[in-house]
Amino acid sequence: MRDVDLFDYMDDEIHQEYDAMDGYQEQADDFCFYPGTLVYPALGLASEAGEVADKVKKLLRDDEMPLDENFNALDLTHEKRRALALELGDCLFYVAVTASDLGYSLSTIADMNIAKLQDRKDRQTLSGSGDYR
């Protein structure tokens, strides 16, 4: 990675916005029952992300959801948006417990991600591929 402090632009106000996520993470950790660390929640995350994708696939197949920039997800029925939101909650659970297994808080991960995205935006490399573009 480039030799640059990605957190230079951040201030305390931005960090405080993520504190609620740490509270969620502490609560999520109370529901962990799996042996060991990392493998089970990582596989759980992949599985739940697949369930989100499957629901979107069915919107395309069964509801003829359009594939264009004019589509707005808010036009979906409340029930379909709620079903997706519940699956996203399952993803959030596995992200939270995986972060805990790695010794990171969700707020730290959020800060790291925003810093990475801001750095890419500043360098005009938001599109493209590669972790360190």
Side-chain angles (χ1 to χ4, degrees):
M1 182 155 181
R2 299 171 4 147
D3 188 25
V4 64
D5 184 359
L6 297 179
F7 296 94
D8 280 344
Y9 79 97
M10 300 183 120
D11 60 24
D12 290 337
E13 183 179 316
I14 291 172
H15 184 71
Q16 290 173 1
E17 293 176 7
Y18 301 117
D19 287 344
M21 292 194 310
D22 292 341
Y24 171 85
Q25 184 177 11
E26 288 178 24
Q27 291 180 34
D29 287 343
D30 290 341
F31 296 97
C32 292
F33 59 87
Y34 53 85
T37 62
L38 193 58
V39 173
Y40 184 86
L43 293 173
L45 176 58
S47 175
E48 295 299 338
E51 289 186 35
V52 171
D54 188 57
K55 288 192 181 306
V56 172
K57 175 199 74 175
K58 289 176 182 175
L59 288 171
L60 289 169
R61 181 191 69 196
D62 300 338
D63 297 335
E64 298 181 5
M65 183 179 78
L67 283 175
D68 62 46
E69 68 252 12
N70 297 321
F71 172 73
N72 185 336
L74 295 176
D75 292 336
L76 296 171
T77 66
H78 172 75
E79 293 78 21
K80 292 186 190 234
R81 288 184 296 121
R82 185 172 176 3
L84 280 164
L86 289 170
E87 295 301 337
L88 290 173
D90 292 340
C91 291
L92 180 60
F93 169 78
Y94 283 114
V95 167
V97 297
T98 301
S100 292
D101 284 353
L102 294 171
Y104 282 93
S105 69
L106 282 178
S107 63
T108 297
I109 288 174
D111 287 344
M112 291 166 58
N113 185 254
I114 292 296
K116 177 182 75 173
L117 293 171
Q118 184 64 51
D119 180 60
R120 287 179 180 173
K121 183 178 180 182
D122 292 346
R123 293 182 296 112
Q124 299 179 350
T125 59
L126 280 173
S127 60
S129 60
D131 288 342
Y132 301 108
R133 62 179 179 274

